Amino acid sequence: MAAQCVTKVELTVSCNNLLDKDIGSKSDPLCVLLMNSSENQWYEVGRTEKVQNCLCPKFSKKFIIDYYFEIVQKLKFGIYDIDNKTIDLSDDDFLGELECTLGQVVSSRKLTRPLVLKNKSPAGKGTITISAEEIKDNRVVNFEVEARKLDNKDFFGKSDPYLEFYKQTETGWQLAHRTEVVKNNLNPTWRPFRIPLQSLCGGEMDKPIKAEFECINSKKKQKKKGYKNSGVVSVKVCQVLCSFYFHYTFLDYIMGGCQINFTVAIDFTGSNGDPRSPQSLHYISPQGVNEYLTAIWSVGNVIQDYDSDKMFPAFGFGAQIPPSWQVSHEFPLNFNPSNPFCAGIEGVVEAYRVCLPQVKLYGPTNFSPIINHVASFANQALQQTTASQYYVLLIITDGVITDMDQTRSAIVNASRLPMSIIIVGVGGADFSAMEFLDGDDGSLRSLTGEPAMRDIVQFVPFRQFQNAPREALAKCVLAEVPGQVVEFFNTLKLTPPNSNPAPTSAETI
């Protein structure tokens, strides 16, 4: 799955107290930006201008980067004293560098760090400051779409159609928007909807769009003589608006002080197998990994850049725990109920390793206690008048859920809170129930029939990523989070903690 660019970010660089490498004058610094590729190779993105005779330069040339929330984008800023006209920097004096991630920069908005030399020792008193600003395209496209005479795909009743809009990219087609499902209707009219122009076509107004098209079923066409189509889809309204009020963006919230709080919940039910056995999903290999650890590292490495204190609560469920050996579906991995927080993703991993031999794997597989636990904190955050906190719960599980009714109600409740749920299924179990909880077709309801306000669950089976790079899992499960954050806070008209009120006008262009 190709990652979808959330937005473009402009980086501005300045430095203070650079090393002076020139005799009779001051250094003539330049900044080069490198990024780390998926093959773990550094490549050059660009360079600023050279600033003559200055130890505290403010570079005017900006770096513009595609920003992806779901990827750890490693950056390296190198400062050099330029004393010749060659492009090669190896013959120029090195003044220091900084390695960081783009997530760290945007979550800080303005990041100041000491420069270090190649051996990681301080580059004198030199510091570098990187400021991030989102390059916004506030235009949105209003759509009204209907269809006529669609094929009936159901034995009882009629088809339940929905539409998906894709944009063309260099790497293929990417999903830009999915409508709601219209139940039991072969001539549906979907609710009017808006798609940001950036999401729909990358802001390129010359990209083609079909205003009316026939649905062609290739198998049916081959078999049936005189086949015309399987229905016609019509775009009744396609209107580009210059929207100054449409909504705050994901980076508006992140740069405006919104914290993303990450919680991990791990399945310790007996179906995982004895952790001492190599056949167990909890068995830690000689290389120090298993599917649980891989999922924690993959997702946590991305999320941690958006939580300023990097203290993450971590829980287990489905085990008998000491000293009473009662079954618990919500116990801290560090066995400290008053302080279940772990220091960084490394702390979560260490707590899991220490906890594993101390508990007895049991059952059943209940999700609702931990969902309700995190939801209680999300509900407290909602009492504030700004978009200050958002919660992401990662549940890693091997089994078929046993409290489905209670879990459905818990998710419907959480859909009204600043919260998203990621479920990673490990092992080879039947995960069809998890697919149901994912609710992409808009059908998730509580036992009493109450619908979810929005889709907040993303489920993936780990087995789909067993032979993929570790980053691939995070790309898949985190891709929907920025949209979920924006949708929630904009629906409630909550502003970032450190921002001016949003403008409130729009015009057709």
Side-chain angles (χ1 to χ4, degrees):
M1 186 189 87
Q4 183 169 334
C5 172
V6 176
T7 189
K8 289 185 181 293
V9 173
E10 181 182 80
L11 304 180
T12 303
V13 180
S14 62
C15 299
N16 275 308
N17 303 312
L18 293 177
L19 293 170
D20 191 358
K21 294 288 188 176
D22 288 356
I23 300 171
S25 65
K26 295 187 173 70
S27 295
D28 307 316
L30 166 151
C31 178
V32 60
L33 172 59
L34 307 177
M35 286 191 75
N36 199 285
S37 69
S38 55
E39 291 78 33
N40 209 27
Q41 299 290 319
W42 291 101
Y43 64 93
E44 184 173 322
V45 174
R47 303 180 184 189
T48 66
E49 77 283 8
K50 177 177 78 171
V51 178
Q52 202 77 25
N53 202 30
C54 182
L55 301 183
C56 297
K58 292 180 172 60
F59 299 106
S60 63
K61 185 178 177 182
K62 321 286 187 186
F63 298 114
I64 296 176
I65 299 177
D66 286 346
Y67 164 72
Y68 301 87
F69 167 74
E70 64 271 27
I71 300 174
V72 177
Q73 294 175 269
K74 294 179 182 177
L75 309 178
K76 184 189 291 184
F77 296 86
I79 310 297
Y80 292 83
D81 175 21
I82 306 299
D83 286 322
N84 56 52
K85 294 184 178 179
T86 65
I87 295 175
D88 187 6
L89 294 172
S90 63
D91 56 358
D92 295 300
D93 289 323
F94 178 65
L95 303 179
E97 67 183 12
L98 170 69
E99 281 190 40
C100 61
T101 68
L102 186 55
Q104 288 172 323
V105 176
V106 298
S107 60
S108 302
R109 196 168 199 167
K110 190 179 211 177
L111 185 74
T112 300
R113 293 285 187 271
L115 289 164
V116 298
L117 300 174
K118 296 292 186 186
N119 62 4
K120 305 304 179 188
S121 64
K125 295 182 179 179
T127 62
I128 184 171
T129 298
I130 304 116
S131 300
E133 187 171 334
E134 183 180 9
I135 300 174
K136 292 183 184 176
D137 186 340
N138 282 329
R139 291 173 295 176
V140 296
V141 186
N142 267 0
F143 279 103
E144 293 182 21
V145 187
E146 65 182 24
R148 304 185 302 275
K149 299 181 180 178
L150 297 177
D151 277 356
N152 191 10
K153 297 293 185 181
D154 292 354
F155 289 111
F156 303 102
K158 296 173 182 171
S159 298
D160 306 318
Y162 62 93
L163 272 176
E164 289 184 344
F165 284 72
Y166 286 80
K167 72 172 180 180
Q168 196 169 26
T169 71
E170 294 176 0
T171 55
W173 292 93
Q174 288 180 354
L175 181 64
H177 182 79
R178 182 185 289 118
T179 68
E180 82 281 7
V181 176
V182 177
K183 291 282 188 182
N184 203 34
N185 197 326
L186 303 182
N187 298 284
T189 297
W190 288 277
R191 289 196 300 265
F193 56 92
R194 286 176 168 177
I195 309 177
L197 198 65
Q198 185 69 31
S199 299
L200 183 65
C201 60
E204 297 179 38
M205 295 291 289
D206 56 351
K207 285 279 179 83
I209 184 170
K210 277 189 175 180
E212 180 167 305
F213 59 90
E214 295 179 315
C215 299
I216 303 298
N217 184 327
S218 55
K219 290 182 180 178
K220 200 170 179 180
K221 186 177 181 181
Q222 288 175 354
K223 293 179 181 178
K224 190 176 179 182
K225 286 184 177 180
Y227 173 82
K228 288 186 177 181
N229 59 56
S230 295
V232 177
V233 176
S234 298
V235 178
K236 309 304 289 184
V237 172
C238 177
Q239 181 184 38
V240 180
L241 299 178
C242 185
S243 173
F244 297 102
Y245 79 96
F246 176 56
H247 61 212
Y248 286 103
T249 66
F250 178 67
L251 282 189
D252 283 332
Y253 288 112
I254 296 302
M255 292 179 173
C258 178
Q259 293 286 304
I260 295 184
N261 301 284
F262 180 49
T263 302
V264 180
I266 295 175
D267 183 338
F268 286 97
T269 55
S271 53
N272 283 278
D274 186 340
R276 294 167 294 184
S277 165
Q279 281 71 48
S280 170
L281 291 165
H282 279 300
Y283 176 74
I284 299 176
S285 73
Q287 291 75 37
V289 296
N290 62 24
E291 292 186 9
Y292 283 93
L293 286 170
T294 302
I296 293 169
W297 278 117
S298 177
V299 178
N301 271 337
V302 173
I303 291 278
Q304 66 179 352
D305 286 341
Y306 302 88
D307 188 318
S308 58
D309 66 7
K310 297 189 173 28
M311 297 296 290
F312 306 118
F315 297 89
F317 59 92
Q320 294 175 318
I321 61 171
S324 65
W325 303 109
Q326 291 293 308
V327 175
S328 174
H329 297 289
E330 183 198 331
F331 64 90
L333 292 189
N334 62 8
F335 300 110
N336 185 349
S338 62
N339 185 11
F341 294 89
C342 304
I345 301 306
E346 296 86 353
V348 175
V349 168
E350 181 60 21
Y352 166 72
R353 289 174 181 274
V354 172
C355 166
L356 194 54
Q358 298 187 60
V359 300
K360 294 178 182 176
L361 275 59
Y362 204 71
T365 306
N366 290 353
F367 280 14
S368 59
I370 190 64
I371 293 174
N372 288 331
H373 176 90
V374 176
S376 68
F377 289 95
N379 190 49
Q380 289 176 24
L382 202 54
Q383 309 311 310
Q384 302 179 32
T385 56
T386 61
S388 59
Q389 309 280 336
Y390 195 90
Y391 290 79
V392 175
L393 169 61
L394 170 64
I395 300 175
I396 314 172
T397 182
D398 85 308
V400 177
I401 189 168
T402 48
D403 66 337
M404 177 58 83
D405 291 343
Q406 294 90 335
T407 294
R408 283 166 56 186
S409 296
I411 292 172
V412 168
N413 173 54
S415 73
R416 291 160 173 73
L417 300 171
M419 181 172 166
S420 294
I421 301 169
I422 295 164
I423 305 173
V424 175
V426 296
D430 175 9
F431 291 123
S432 54
M434 305 299 179
E435 303 282 2
F436 171 71
L437 292 178
D438 199 318
D440 279 344
D441 63 357
S443 63
L444 185 67
R445 293 176 178 268
S446 71
L447 195 60
T448 58
E450 184 183 9
M453 187 179 90
R454 57 198 182 98
D455 175 20
I456 64 166
V457 177
Q458 176 74 352
F459 167 75
V460 297
F462 186 89
R463 54 181 175 250
Q464 291 182 358
F465 299 90
Q466 277 179 319
N467 300 316
R470 190 169 72 181
E471 309 82 55
L473 177 65
K475 277 186 194 179
C476 181
V477 298
L478 291 173
E480 295 182 7
V481 170
Q484 291 171 356
V485 171
V486 167
E487 178 190 11
F488 178 78
F489 287 135
N490 275 291
T491 300
L492 270 66
K493 295 183 169 54
L494 292 176
T495 61
N498 312 317
S499 73
N500 298 317
T504 56
S505 64
E507 62 183 62
T508 304
I509 58 172

